[in-house]
Short mmCIF file of all heavy atoms in Angstrom, two decimals:
data_model
loop_
_atom_site.label_atom_id
_atom_site.label_comp_id
_atom_site.label_asym_id
_atom_site.label_seq_id
_atom_site.Cartn_x
_atom_site.Cartn_y
_atom_site.Cartn_z
N LEU A 1 25.52 -22.04 56.57
CA LEU A 1 25.27 -20.60 56.55
C LEU A 1 25.47 -20.01 55.16
O LEU A 1 26.38 -20.42 54.43
CB LEU A 1 26.20 -19.88 57.52
CG LEU A 1 25.88 -20.00 59.00
CD1 LEU A 1 26.90 -19.24 59.83
CD2 LEU A 1 24.49 -19.48 59.31
N THR A 2 24.63 -19.04 54.86
CA THR A 2 24.75 -18.30 53.61
C THR A 2 24.24 -16.89 53.82
O THR A 2 23.47 -16.64 54.75
CB THR A 2 23.99 -19.00 52.45
OG1 THR A 2 24.31 -18.34 51.22
CG2 THR A 2 22.49 -18.98 52.68
N VAL A 3 24.66 -15.98 52.97
CA VAL A 3 24.11 -14.62 52.96
C VAL A 3 23.42 -14.44 51.61
O VAL A 3 24.02 -14.66 50.56
CB VAL A 3 25.20 -13.54 53.21
CG1 VAL A 3 26.33 -13.61 52.20
CG2 VAL A 3 24.57 -12.15 53.22
N LYS A 4 22.13 -14.10 51.67
CA LYS A 4 21.33 -13.93 50.45
C LYS A 4 20.22 -12.93 50.72
O LYS A 4 19.91 -12.59 51.86
CB LYS A 4 20.68 -15.26 50.02
CG LYS A 4 21.65 -16.37 49.67
CD LYS A 4 22.33 -16.15 48.35
CE LYS A 4 23.21 -17.31 47.96
NZ LYS A 4 24.52 -17.33 48.59
N ARG A 5 19.56 -12.48 49.63
CA ARG A 5 18.40 -11.60 49.74
C ARG A 5 17.15 -12.47 49.88
O ARG A 5 16.94 -13.39 49.09
CB ARG A 5 18.29 -10.69 48.53
CG ARG A 5 17.22 -9.61 48.70
CD ARG A 5 17.23 -8.60 47.57
NE ARG A 5 18.50 -7.95 47.34
CZ ARG A 5 18.97 -6.90 48.03
NH1 ARG A 5 18.26 -6.41 49.03
NH2 ARG A 5 20.13 -6.37 47.73
N LEU A 6 16.33 -12.18 50.88
CA LEU A 6 15.11 -12.94 51.14
C LEU A 6 14.01 -12.50 50.18
O LEU A 6 13.77 -11.31 50.01
CB LEU A 6 14.66 -12.72 52.59
CG LEU A 6 13.45 -13.49 53.07
CD1 LEU A 6 13.72 -14.99 53.05
CD2 LEU A 6 13.06 -13.04 54.47
N SER A 7 13.35 -13.48 49.56
CA SER A 7 12.24 -13.20 48.66
C SER A 7 11.04 -14.01 49.10
O SER A 7 11.12 -15.24 49.21
CB SER A 7 12.62 -13.56 47.22
OG SER A 7 11.50 -13.43 46.37
N GLN A 8 9.94 -13.31 49.38
CA GLN A 8 8.68 -13.96 49.75
C GLN A 8 7.59 -13.40 48.84
O GLN A 8 7.05 -12.33 49.11
CB GLN A 8 8.35 -13.67 51.21
CG GLN A 8 9.35 -14.24 52.19
CD GLN A 8 9.10 -13.76 53.61
OE1 GLN A 8 9.14 -12.57 53.86
NE2 GLN A 8 8.88 -14.69 54.52
N THR A 9 7.31 -14.11 47.75
CA THR A 9 6.29 -13.63 46.81
C THR A 9 5.36 -14.79 46.44
O THR A 9 5.82 -15.90 46.15
CB THR A 9 6.92 -13.07 45.52
OG1 THR A 9 7.80 -14.04 44.96
CG2 THR A 9 7.71 -11.80 45.80
N GLU A 10 4.07 -14.50 46.44
CA GLU A 10 3.04 -15.46 46.03
C GLU A 10 3.20 -16.81 46.70
O GLU A 10 3.11 -17.86 46.06
CB GLU A 10 3.04 -15.60 44.50
CG GLU A 10 2.77 -14.28 43.79
CD GLU A 10 2.96 -14.39 42.29
OE1 GLU A 10 3.13 -15.50 41.76
OE2 GLU A 10 2.96 -13.33 41.64
N GLY A 11 3.47 -16.79 48.00
CA GLY A 11 3.61 -18.03 48.75
C GLY A 11 4.89 -18.80 48.49
O GLY A 11 5.09 -19.90 48.97
N ARG A 12 5.78 -18.21 47.75
CA ARG A 12 7.07 -18.84 47.40
C ARG A 12 8.19 -18.19 48.19
O ARG A 12 8.30 -16.96 48.21
CB ARG A 12 7.31 -18.68 45.91
CG ARG A 12 8.51 -19.37 45.38
CD ARG A 12 8.57 -19.17 43.88
NE ARG A 12 9.66 -19.93 43.31
CZ ARG A 12 10.05 -19.83 42.06
NH1 ARG A 12 9.41 -19.02 41.24
NH2 ARG A 12 11.06 -20.54 41.61
N LEU A 13 9.00 -18.99 48.84
CA LEU A 13 10.12 -18.50 49.63
C LEU A 13 11.42 -18.85 48.91
O LEU A 13 11.67 -20.02 48.59
CB LEU A 13 10.10 -19.12 51.03
CG LEU A 13 11.16 -18.69 52.02
CD1 LEU A 13 11.05 -17.19 52.31
CD2 LEU A 13 11.03 -19.47 53.31
N GLN A 14 12.25 -17.80 48.68
CA GLN A 14 13.53 -18.00 48.00
C GLN A 14 14.62 -17.19 48.68
O GLN A 14 14.34 -16.15 49.30
CB GLN A 14 13.47 -17.54 46.54
CG GLN A 14 12.62 -18.38 45.64
CD GLN A 14 12.68 -17.85 44.21
OE1 GLN A 14 12.37 -16.68 43.96
NE2 GLN A 14 13.09 -18.70 43.28
N LEU A 15 15.84 -17.65 48.52
CA LEU A 15 17.02 -16.88 48.88
C LEU A 15 17.72 -16.56 47.57
O LEU A 15 18.13 -17.45 46.83
CB LEU A 15 17.92 -17.68 49.82
CG LEU A 15 17.31 -17.98 51.19
CD1 LEU A 15 18.23 -18.88 52.01
CD2 LEU A 15 17.02 -16.70 51.96
N LEU A 16 17.84 -15.25 47.31
CA LEU A 16 18.34 -14.81 46.01
C LEU A 16 19.79 -14.33 46.09
O LEU A 16 20.12 -13.49 46.93
CB LEU A 16 17.47 -13.66 45.48
CG LEU A 16 15.97 -13.92 45.41
CD1 LEU A 16 15.25 -12.65 44.95
CD2 LEU A 16 15.67 -15.08 44.47
N PRO A 17 20.63 -14.82 45.20
CA PRO A 17 21.99 -14.30 45.12
C PRO A 17 21.97 -12.94 44.41
O PRO A 17 20.98 -12.57 43.78
CB PRO A 17 22.72 -15.35 44.28
CG PRO A 17 21.65 -15.93 43.40
CD PRO A 17 20.38 -15.88 44.22
N ALA A 18 23.06 -12.21 44.52
CA ALA A 18 23.19 -10.93 43.81
C ALA A 18 24.37 -11.04 42.85
O ALA A 18 25.28 -10.23 42.85
CB ALA A 18 23.38 -9.80 44.80
N ASN A 19 24.34 -12.10 42.08
CA ASN A 19 25.36 -12.37 41.08
C ASN A 19 24.71 -13.31 40.07
O ASN A 19 24.24 -14.39 40.45
CB ASN A 19 26.59 -13.02 41.73
CG ASN A 19 27.70 -13.31 40.75
OD1 ASN A 19 27.48 -13.48 39.55
ND2 ASN A 19 28.92 -13.40 41.26
N PRO A 20 24.64 -12.92 38.80
CA PRO A 20 23.94 -13.75 37.81
C PRO A 20 24.56 -15.13 37.60
O PRO A 20 23.92 -16.01 37.02
CB PRO A 20 24.00 -12.91 36.53
CG PRO A 20 25.05 -11.89 36.76
CD PRO A 20 25.17 -11.69 38.23
N ALA A 21 25.76 -15.36 38.09
CA ALA A 21 26.39 -16.67 37.95
C ALA A 21 25.79 -17.71 38.90
O ALA A 21 26.07 -18.90 38.77
CB ALA A 21 27.90 -16.55 38.20
N TYR A 22 24.94 -17.26 39.83
CA TYR A 22 24.34 -18.16 40.82
C TYR A 22 22.83 -18.21 40.65
O TYR A 22 22.22 -17.23 40.23
CB TYR A 22 24.67 -17.70 42.24
CG TYR A 22 26.14 -17.81 42.56
CD1 TYR A 22 27.02 -16.79 42.22
CD2 TYR A 22 26.65 -18.95 43.19
CE1 TYR A 22 28.38 -16.89 42.50
CE2 TYR A 22 28.01 -19.05 43.47
CZ TYR A 22 28.86 -18.02 43.12
OH TYR A 22 30.19 -18.12 43.39
N LYS A 23 22.25 -19.35 41.00
CA LYS A 23 20.81 -19.53 40.90
C LYS A 23 20.15 -19.27 42.26
O LYS A 23 20.75 -19.51 43.30
CB LYS A 23 20.49 -20.95 40.45
CG LYS A 23 20.94 -21.24 39.04
CD LYS A 23 20.57 -22.64 38.62
CE LYS A 23 21.04 -22.86 37.19
NZ LYS A 23 20.73 -24.19 36.72
N PRO A 24 18.89 -18.82 42.22
CA PRO A 24 18.14 -18.67 43.47
C PRO A 24 17.98 -20.02 44.16
O PRO A 24 17.97 -21.06 43.52
CB PRO A 24 16.78 -18.14 43.01
CG PRO A 24 17.02 -17.54 41.67
CD PRO A 24 18.12 -18.36 41.06
N ILE A 25 17.84 -19.96 45.48
CA ILE A 25 17.60 -21.17 46.26
C ILE A 25 16.13 -21.17 46.64
O ILE A 25 15.67 -20.30 47.38
CB ILE A 25 18.48 -21.19 47.52
CG1 ILE A 25 19.96 -21.14 47.14
CG2 ILE A 25 18.17 -22.42 48.37
CD1 ILE A 25 20.89 -20.89 48.32
N ASP A 26 15.38 -22.14 46.09
CA ASP A 26 13.97 -22.30 46.45
C ASP A 26 13.89 -23.06 47.76
O ASP A 26 14.41 -24.18 47.87
CB ASP A 26 13.23 -23.07 45.35
CG ASP A 26 13.09 -22.28 44.07
OD1 ASP A 26 12.68 -21.11 44.15
OD2 ASP A 26 13.40 -22.83 42.99
N ILE A 27 13.21 -22.47 48.74
CA ILE A 27 13.06 -23.13 50.04
C ILE A 27 11.77 -23.93 50.01
O ILE A 27 10.69 -23.37 49.78
CB ILE A 27 13.05 -22.09 51.18
CG1 ILE A 27 14.32 -21.23 51.15
CG2 ILE A 27 12.89 -22.78 52.52
CD1 ILE A 27 15.62 -21.99 51.29
N THR A 28 11.89 -25.23 50.23
CA THR A 28 10.73 -26.13 50.24
C THR A 28 10.66 -26.83 51.58
O THR A 28 11.49 -26.60 52.47
CB THR A 28 10.87 -27.17 49.11
OG1 THR A 28 11.98 -28.02 49.41
CG2 THR A 28 11.07 -26.51 47.75
N ASP A 29 9.70 -27.73 51.70
CA ASP A 29 9.56 -28.53 52.92
C ASP A 29 10.77 -29.44 53.12
O ASP A 29 10.98 -29.95 54.22
CB ASP A 29 8.29 -29.37 52.86
CG ASP A 29 7.03 -28.51 52.92
OD1 ASP A 29 7.14 -27.35 53.39
OD2 ASP A 29 5.97 -28.98 52.49
N MET A 30 11.55 -29.64 52.09
CA MET A 30 12.73 -30.50 52.17
C MET A 30 13.90 -29.78 52.85
O MET A 30 14.90 -30.39 53.18
CB MET A 30 13.17 -30.95 50.77
CG MET A 30 12.10 -31.69 50.00
SD MET A 30 11.72 -33.29 50.74
CE MET A 30 13.23 -34.16 50.40
N HIS A 31 13.79 -28.46 53.04
CA HIS A 31 14.86 -27.66 53.62
C HIS A 31 14.52 -27.29 55.06
O HIS A 31 13.38 -27.00 55.38
CB HIS A 31 15.07 -26.36 52.83
CG HIS A 31 15.50 -26.58 51.43
ND1 HIS A 31 14.63 -26.57 50.38
CD2 HIS A 31 16.73 -26.82 50.90
CE1 HIS A 31 15.29 -26.79 49.26
NE2 HIS A 31 16.57 -26.95 49.55
N GLU A 32 15.56 -27.26 55.86
CA GLU A 32 15.44 -26.68 57.20
C GLU A 32 16.06 -25.29 57.11
O GLU A 32 17.26 -25.15 56.88
CB GLU A 32 16.18 -27.52 58.24
CG GLU A 32 16.07 -26.96 59.63
CD GLU A 32 16.91 -27.72 60.64
OE1 GLU A 32 17.23 -28.90 60.40
OE2 GLU A 32 17.27 -27.12 61.67
N LEU A 33 15.24 -24.26 57.28
CA LEU A 33 15.71 -22.88 57.14
C LEU A 33 15.61 -22.18 58.49
O LEU A 33 14.56 -22.18 59.12
CB LEU A 33 14.87 -22.12 56.11
CG LEU A 33 15.18 -20.63 55.98
CD1 LEU A 33 16.55 -20.43 55.33
CD2 LEU A 33 14.10 -19.93 55.16
N VAL A 34 16.73 -21.57 58.90
CA VAL A 34 16.75 -20.74 60.10
C VAL A 34 17.39 -19.41 59.71
O VAL A 34 18.52 -19.39 59.22
CB VAL A 34 17.58 -21.40 61.24
CG1 VAL A 34 17.63 -20.48 62.46
CG2 VAL A 34 17.00 -22.75 61.62
N ILE A 35 16.63 -18.32 59.89
CA ILE A 35 17.17 -16.99 59.62
C ILE A 35 17.89 -16.53 60.88
O ILE A 35 17.28 -16.39 61.93
CB ILE A 35 16.06 -15.99 59.24
CG1 ILE A 35 15.26 -16.48 58.03
CG2 ILE A 35 16.66 -14.60 59.00
CD1 ILE A 35 16.02 -16.50 56.73
N TRP A 36 19.19 -16.28 60.77
CA TRP A 36 19.99 -15.83 61.92
C TRP A 36 19.84 -14.34 62.18
O TRP A 36 19.97 -13.90 63.29
CB TRP A 36 21.45 -16.18 61.68
CG TRP A 36 21.80 -17.60 61.98
CD1 TRP A 36 20.98 -18.69 61.88
CD2 TRP A 36 23.06 -18.08 62.42
NE1 TRP A 36 21.67 -19.81 62.23
CE2 TRP A 36 22.94 -19.48 62.56
CE3 TRP A 36 24.27 -17.48 62.69
CZ2 TRP A 36 24.00 -20.27 62.98
CZ3 TRP A 36 25.32 -18.26 63.10
CH2 TRP A 36 25.18 -19.65 63.25
N GLY A 37 19.61 -13.57 61.12
CA GLY A 37 19.48 -12.13 61.30
C GLY A 37 19.53 -11.39 59.98
O GLY A 37 19.75 -11.98 58.92
N VAL A 38 19.31 -10.08 60.08
CA VAL A 38 19.30 -9.19 58.91
C VAL A 38 20.61 -8.42 58.87
O VAL A 38 21.06 -7.86 59.88
CB VAL A 38 18.10 -8.22 59.00
CG1 VAL A 38 18.14 -7.21 57.86
CG2 VAL A 38 16.78 -8.98 59.01
#
């Protein structure tokens, strides 16, 4: 589980942190992603 901002732009799915010390998480076919809620 993680809490992040959802980004869906130009066919790219990412989970974005809100702290510059962390990198965005690119969601690819290698990931199993389940959104639990907003």
Side-chain angles (χ1 to χ4, degrees):
L1 285 179
T2 188
V3 57
K4 298 286 185 279
R5 189 173 304 278
L6 183 64
S7 173
Q8 296 171 300
T9 54
E10 301 172 9
R12 185 177 185 188
L13 182 62
Q14 291 182 303
L15 294 175
L16 306 176
N19 181 335
Y22 294 86
K23 294 182 179 179
I25 301 169
D26 291 312
I27 304 300
T28 66
D29 292 339
M30 302 293 291
H31 297 98
E32 180 185 337
L33 175 69
V34 178
I35 303 292
W36 280 29
V38 175

